Amino acid sequence: PQHKISVSPVFPIEQILSKKEYPIMANKQRIEGVVYLELYIDKTGVIRKIIVLKDPGYGLAEAAVKALDGITCEPAKANGEPVGVKFRFPIRFKLK
């Protein structure tokens, strides 16, 4: 159960940022936004399933899912033991 989680999963943020690509259509139209994802992470830290909860459009959700493809994180823990969790994860797209 979620309420027994003592340590949330830890993501390799630098690795995710290096894989994140701004979609061409969103960049041309100067679109910014936040994609909210729901991740199903197993007790080894592998992301098993990604569900898009909020998609601003213009290819941002697809780019967010692609940035997380193949990523392994440190798993969540309950009482010091690794456990599988469902975790909400936002990815922000902001133009420079």
Side-chain angles (χ1 to χ4, degrees):
Q2 290 283 43
H3 65 279
K4 295 191 178 199
I5 301 301
S6 53
V7 177
S8 293
V10 177
F11 294 88
I13 299 300
E14 292 300 318
Q15 186 180 0
I16 294 168
L17 291 175
S18 72
K19 291 180 66 177
K20 184 174 88 170
E21 295 181 18
Y22 219 99
I24 294 169
M25 188 181 348
N27 196 3
K28 282 183 180 178
Q29 296 188 28
R30 311 294 296 159
I31 303 294
E32 297 181 339
V34 179
V35 177
Y36 290 94
L37 304 171
E38 187 167 78
L39 310 177
Y40 290 83
I41 304 166
D42 71 15
K43 65 181 181 179
T44 65
V46 175
I47 299 170
R48 295 290 178 187
K49 186 176 179 184
I50 301 173
I51 296 175
V52 177
L53 298 176
K54 181 181 176 199
D55 177 8
Y58 301 92
L60 295 177
E62 293 83 0
V65 170
K66 190 175 176 183
L68 286 172
D69 186 43
I71 296 291
T72 300
C73 59
E74 290 182 34
K77 293 185 180 175
N79 300 322
E81 295 294 319
V83 293
V85 292
K86 180 169 64 170
F87 190 80
R88 290 194 178 185
F89 191 78
I91 295 186
R92 179 176 304 279
F93 288 87
K94 186 162 177 60
L95 294 165
K96 295 175 184 171

